Amino acid sequence: MNRLVEKIDRFSLEQEKIMMRTDLSNLDKEQLRKQNQEIADLISELIRLINQVLWVSARKVYSNPEVYAKQEKLFED
């Protein structure tokens, strides 16, 4: 997940540099289009990974709730 977020951040910085220009070439526009598509793909992958982690975690809690009840007490204020 960290790798995906880092890549999205890198694209964001690159796009900011491009957008500072007053005249965008066709190459610039194509680069932005490709990066936006890759960002969308990375976000989809990130969502898939998060859902997978949450699903596995939920299954573990469901199958052994007493262990997680003990752990939850560690985080109570």
Side-chain angles (χ1 to χ4, degrees):
M1 285 188 281
N2 287 338
R3 179 185 59 80
L4 296 174
V5 171
E6 287 171 3
K7 198 165 190 178
I8 291 169
D9 286 341
R10 184 171 35 90
F11 282 146
S12 177
L13 291 173
E14 288 175 13
Q15 288 191 356
E16 283 180 30
K17 289 178 187 176
I18 291 171
M19 296 305 289
M20 295 300 284
R21 300 184 208 153
T22 56
D23 56 334
L24 293 177
S25 68
N26 287 338
L27 184 60
D28 293 333
K29 292 174 187 176
E30 182 62 19
Q31 181 181 2
L32 288 172
R33 188 193 65 73
K34 285 180 181 179
Q35 285 182 343
N36 285 337
Q37 182 58 53
E38 191 164 349
I39 287 170
D41 294 343
L42 291 170
I43 290 170
S44 294
E45 176 68 8
L46 185 58
I47 290 169
R48 187 190 67 72
L49 289 171
I50 290 169
N51 284 336
Q52 183 179 5
V53 167
L54 292 175
W55 184 80
V56 168
S57 296
R59 273 189 45 201
K60 287 181 180 180
V61 170
Y62 179 77
S63 65
N64 199 357
E66 59 276 355
V67 171
Y68 290 93
K70 292 176 187 175
Q71 290 178 351
E72 183 180 27
K73 289 180 183 179
L74 297 173
F75 297 101
E76 291 178 352
D77 291 336

